[in-house]
Amino acid sequence: MGSLADGAPTGIVAVDAGYRALLAALIVVIAARAERWTLFVLAGVAGAIGSNDPVPLSLSALALALSFAGLRRRRRRKELGAIVGAVGAQALLRLPTDLPAATPTIAVAVVVLVLMVSALRHDRRPTRYLYPAAATLLVVGVASVAFVVGMMTIDSHAEEAVAASRAGLDAAASGDDAASVAAFTIADRAFAAAGRTADAWWMTPARVVPVLAPHVEAVREVSAQGRSLAELGTDQAAVLDIRGLSNDDGGLDLEAIADLAPRAVAVADALDEAGRVLDETDSPWLVGQVTDRIDSFAVEIADVAPTARLAADALTVAPA
């Protein structure tokens, strides 16, 4: 049941389903061994965070009722703890995902920590968990090192790409086709280099680790959109500079307008799509430096997109 919830810590469907199922199983196991008061923490947190959603609220109410039922017995029963853990896990996994500052994730982490500490206190051999914990920390550590190295490289390429894109748009607006093409060529290479780094084999561990994965996916999305725009650099220059549409007599060259109209629509559509993707490339886990790069690129697109769309609309109706 946990694998069918909506949480997506990495954005990879199969991996996310595995994480959800693993989390649900972990909560069941540690809840069976934890003290009874921790079950009230599990149910209470799920109910408080999910109070505006009937599904987690109902599940948390059921978990709370079962927790109270367990108080009728003097001794803690593992079976009841496991049942409360199973119900509570489903409530936690179905918390609303639109809450600010990663509230559901933080709530889940707090509950799991409380349950785990309590369970370990009552475990006769807590040291048996050292090896799995050490192995997990080793995997996360290796992924983190690769991630830091990769993001440092990506940041350098992203800075160059955004700067070149800005220069290309400025040159296009001023009618300097050669400078615009040259700048967009540089931007294309820089975006491609950032994308290659994000797709490198040694970045694979980071793509399946929560918190790290959204950064890698954001880089891939932005790089793909940046390359698409850079490849349209020549057309952008033509669309944004309409001075080449006049004939020798000073009037409008209708044939040139008809030829340019489809290209203008393609450019405007590409800019709109890039703006949409950048707006959706959002995660509460993205660090400020990554967010700043995305925002900077989005601002550049937002500045020129209305002009491109206006030009496309005007060129489309002009021949008529």
Side-chain angles (χ1 to χ4, degrees), residues 142-306:
V142 170
S144 299
V145 171
F147 170 78
V148 171
V149 173
M151 291 304 294
M152 290 176 63
T153 304
I154 288 169
D155 184 65
S156 176
H157 294 312
E159 183 178 10
E160 180 184 12
V162 173
S165 297
R166 182 183 300 113
L169 291 171
D170 291 342
S174 63
D176 191 342
D177 291 3
S180 177
V181 171
F184 280 118
T185 299
I186 295 174
D188 181 52
R189 292 174 181 171
F191 278 123
R196 284 195 302 269
T197 302
D199 289 330
W201 66 267
W202 46 271
M203 286 287 281
T204 300
R207 290 199 288 271
V208 296
V209 174
V211 179
L212 305 186
H215 291 81
V216 180
E217 184 59 28
V219 170
R220 297 174 71 185
E221 291 283 354
V222 174
S223 297
Q225 292 302 317
R227 291 208 69 187
S228 297
L229 292 178
E231 291 171 357
L232 288 171
T234 302
D235 284 342
Q236 289 175 3
V239 170
L240 295 175
D241 177 32
I242 61 173
R243 289 174 293 182
L245 298 179
S246 59
N247 53 32
D248 295 337
D249 298 329
L252 291 177
D253 188 337
L254 297 182
E255 184 176 347
I257 292 175
D259 291 339
L260 185 58
R263 296 159 57 195
V265 172
V267 170
D269 289 346
L271 288 168
D272 290 343
E273 174 66 12
R276 183 191 63 79
V277 170
L278 292 176
D279 287 340
E280 294 178 356
T281 306
D282 187 24
S283 168
W285 302 111
L286 293 181
V287 298
Q289 193 168 10
V290 174
T291 303
D292 290 343
R293 295 295 185 205
I294 295 175
D295 289 345
S296 178
F297 189 36
V299 167
E300 297 299 329
I301 292 175
D303 286 344
V304 73

Side-chain angles (χ1 to χ4, degrees), residues 68-140:
F68 274 112
L71 295 178
R72 299 176 61 183
R73 294 179 176 269
R74 291 185 176 183
R75 300 187 62 182
R76 172 175 56 89
R77 293 185 59 186
K78 290 185 176 181
E79 296 83 358
L80 181 61
I83 294 173
V84 174
V87 176
Q90 298 308 313
L92 290 174
L93 287 170
R94 286 163 174 78
L95 292 176
T97 57
D98 57 351
L99 297 175
T103 302
T105 304
I106 296 173
V108 171
V110 170
V111 169
V112 170
L113 180 61
V114 170
L115 291 172
M116 187 171 293
V117 170
S118 178
L120 289 175
R121 287 179 56 191
H122 290 81
D123 196 296
R124 296 179 180 179
R125 292 186 300 147
T127 54
R128 60 182 169 175
Y129 303 109
L130 289 178
Y131 289 111
T136 301
L137 290 176
L138 178 61
V139 172
V140 174

Side-chain angles (χ1 to χ4, degrees), residues 13-61:
V13 176
V15 174
D16 290 338
Y19 273 128
R20 293 191 297 267
L22 183 62
L23 176 62
L26 174 63
I27 292 177
V28 170
V29 171
I30 58 180
R33 292 166 170 79
E35 297 170 273
R36 285 185 287 186
W37 67 266
T38 61
L39 302 180
F40 289 94
V41 174
L42 168 60
V45 170
I49 303 299
S51 59
N52 293 326
D53 191 314
V55 175
L57 184 60
S58 300
L59 290 171
S60 65

